[in-house]
């Protein structure tokens, strides 16, 4: 079959030269292009088959012009469409230009104004909070002062006469009195709190029969001795003047005792503030120096006196240290 195909191709080529020994220029170009195509195989029997089966078909000149014109129109339409799409996209995008100097300056001034208002509001809130806190503190101090004054006005104190006064130091002559006493161990403040609770239960009739007894001031505290040895702190409440040993109810608690204290002379130093060991030592040293400088004779240990409830502000508290001396 292969040799027959080659023979038919040679016959077709000879016939073509006999009938058209000089093909037209267009035909020569067409055959050259067709043969140059790597995928083209010229059929040996192309003249005996339909034209669409005889290999590549080169368009005519008019067809080529028409296809070029269509391609140009399509390209122009695509360019116009692309340009319109780009214009639409550009219009929808934000303006990326830098602001002018004037606009930028106005914007900065506006921002500074906003920041100033915010800072002002913040400062105002701080000032308002500080005022509220200060107002609350003043109100609390005022209420404490009012209650303290009312308590002092209505609370009985033991009577005394001032013999001599030197600033915060006084020499006093006290009348005789009756005290309720309990002894507690521990350091100064702990013993005082425990003793206060025990004595308050007694005067409030919480653990005994009979009527309650009015609270007086001061609450007294002194070292308690037994056979020459310290056994703790003696905490004392002074009983109101109207009572005698016969009219006072007997304590049912074994750690509470009623005692009579004879009239006496004391030297005292008065000071304000929250009681502390440091403050007490300083004031006690002042009192010892006063006794030594004035050739006074001491009798017994120092006695501490507290006139105010614990919640009283420190600057309003009245504290005293007293030492009994010979007349």
């Amino acid at each position: 079959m292969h040799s027959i195909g080659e023979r038919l191709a040679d016959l077709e080529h000879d016939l073509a030269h006999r009938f058209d020994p000089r093909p037209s220029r267009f035909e020569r170009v067409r055959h050259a292009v067709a043969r140059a195509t790597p995928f083209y195989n010229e059929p040996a029997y192309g003249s005996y088959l339909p034209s669409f089966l005889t290999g590549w078909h080169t368009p005519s000149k008019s067809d080529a012009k028409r296809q070029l014109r269509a391609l140009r129109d399509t390209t122009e339409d695509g360019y116009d469409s692309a340009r319109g799409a780009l214009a639409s996209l550009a219009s929808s995008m934000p303006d990326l230009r830098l602001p002018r100097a004037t606009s930028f300056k106005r914007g900065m001034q506006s921002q500074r104004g906003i920041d100033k208002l915010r800072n002002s509001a913040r400062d105002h809130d701080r000032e308002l909070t500080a005022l509220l806190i200060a107002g609350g503190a003043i109100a609390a101090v005022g209420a404490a002062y009012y209650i303290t004054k009312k308590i002092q006005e209505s609370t009985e104190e033991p009577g005394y006469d001032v013999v001599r006064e030197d600033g915060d130091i006084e020499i006093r002559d006290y009348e005789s009195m009756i005290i309720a006493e309990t002894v507690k161990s521990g350091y100064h403040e702990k013993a005082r709190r425990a003793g206060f609770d025990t004595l308050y239960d007694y005067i409030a009739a919480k653990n005994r029969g009979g009527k309650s007894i009015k609270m007086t001031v001061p609450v007294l505290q002194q070292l308690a001795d037994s056979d020459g040895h310290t056994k703790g702190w003696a905490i004392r409440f002074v009983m109101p003047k109207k009572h005698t040993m016969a009219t006072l109810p007997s304590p049912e608690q074994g750690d509470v005792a009623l005692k009579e204290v004879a009239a006496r002379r004391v030297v005292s130093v008065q000071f304000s503030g929250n009681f502390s060991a440091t403050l007490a030592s300083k004031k006690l040293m002042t009192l010892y120096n006063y006794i030594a400088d004035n050739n006074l004779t001491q009798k017994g240990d120092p006695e501490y006196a507290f006139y105010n409830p614990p919640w009283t502000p420190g600057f309003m508290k009245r504290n005293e240290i007293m030492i009994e001396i010979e007349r």
Side-chain angles (χ1 to χ4, degrees), residues 166-244:
D166 291 314
D168 294 333
I169 297 178
E170 291 180 345
I171 297 177
R172 303 171 182 172
D173 283 343
Y174 274 92
E175 302 172 355
S176 62
M177 62 183 77
I178 300 174
I179 60 167
E181 180 183 278
T182 185
V183 177
K184 301 294 181 181
S185 61
Y187 63 92
H188 192 280
E189 185 176 358
K190 180 181 178 181
R192 184 169 71 253
R193 289 179 179 176
F196 182 94
D197 292 340
T198 299
L199 295 176
Y200 186 80
D201 288 345
Y202 166 72
I203 66 172
K206 289 186 176 182
N207 48 20
R208 62 169 176 81
K211 297 181 180 180
S212 62
I213 302 170
K214 291 188 68 174
M215 183 72 189
T216 64
V217 293
V219 175
L220 301 172
Q221 182 173 7
Q222 188 179 32
L223 286 173
D225 293 331
S226 176
D227 298 330
H229 297 87
T230 300
K231 62 177 182 179
W233 292 96
I235 314 300
R236 301 170 181 140
F237 279 6
V238 179
M239 297 294 100
K241 291 178 182 179
K242 67 178 184 177
H243 288 288
T244 63

Side-chain angles (χ1 to χ4, degrees), residues 107-126:
M108 290 297 294
Q109 290 175 349
S110 300
Q111 185 62 41
R112 282 197 294 268
I114 293 172
D115 293 340
K116 185 176 181 180
L117 289 175
R118 288 176 179 172
N119 294 334
S120 177
R122 195 177 297 113
D123 294 341
H124 178 73
D125 291 341
R126 293 197 189 99

